[in-house]
């Protein structure tokens, strides 16, 4: 892996974070910026994990001259889904929104 691979993973990570959020059912009480940051972190972590454990396939997606391995993308999206889910759970757990608290006690 070269530095440009990690930089591309960060840019691609923004998209990965949004895809992860779409894949999760329900509404996540986290903002777009946090979603993108989680996606970027997941892209770097997924790239590292795929390199570390030699997870590569012969299927590639080419975007603007850069090849993305579909298996690596799958690892990245999986990490992003977990990251977004954890962030959403933490946001709900530490929410101080009175309306949210009212709705929980009402049901």
């Amino acid at each position: 892996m070269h530095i440009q691979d990690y930089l591309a993973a960060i840019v691609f990570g923004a998209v990965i974070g949004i895809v992860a959020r779409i894949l999760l059912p329900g509404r996540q009480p986290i903002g777009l910026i946090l979603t993108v940051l989680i996606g970027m972190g997941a892209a770097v972590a997924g790239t590292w994990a795929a390199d570390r454990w030699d997870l590569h396939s012969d299927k590639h997606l080419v975007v603007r001259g850069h090849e993305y391995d579909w298996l690596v993308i799958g690892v990245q999206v999986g990490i992003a889904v977990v990251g977004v889910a954890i962030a959403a759970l933490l946001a709900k757990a530490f929410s101080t929104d009175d309306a949210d608290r009212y709705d929980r006690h009402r049901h």
Side-chain angles (χ1 to χ4, degrees):
M1 286 271 140
H2 299 288
I3 190 71
Q4 66 263 21
D5 293 326
Y6 285 97
L7 293 175
I10 290 170
V11 173
F12 198 62
V15 175
I16 288 172
I18 293 168
V19 168
R21 190 168 175 166
I22 291 169
L23 291 175
L24 280 172
R27 186 165 184 255
Q28 294 81 38
I30 60 173
L32 181 62
I33 292 173
L34 183 57
T35 300
V36 168
L37 290 174
I38 291 169
M40 289 177 174
V44 171
T47 300
W48 176 83
D51 190 41
R52 172 88 165 96
W53 290 293
D54 199 29
L55 301 173
H56 299 283
S57 71
D58 58 350
K59 306 288 186 218
H60 294 103
L61 168 69
V62 179
V63 178
R64 297 180 66 107
H66 189 80
E67 287 188 25
Y68 296 93
D69 186 321
W70 279 108
L71 185 57
V72 175
I73 292 171
V75 171
Q76 293 170 335
V77 170
I79 292 171
V81 166
V82 171
V84 169
I86 290 170
L89 287 172
L90 289 173
K92 285 180 183 177
F94 292 104
S95 175
T96 59
D97 186 13
D98 289 333
D100 184 44
R101 206 174 293 137
Y102 174 75
D103 283 344
R104 278 188 271 160
H105 291 297
R106 206 171 92 189
H107 291 92

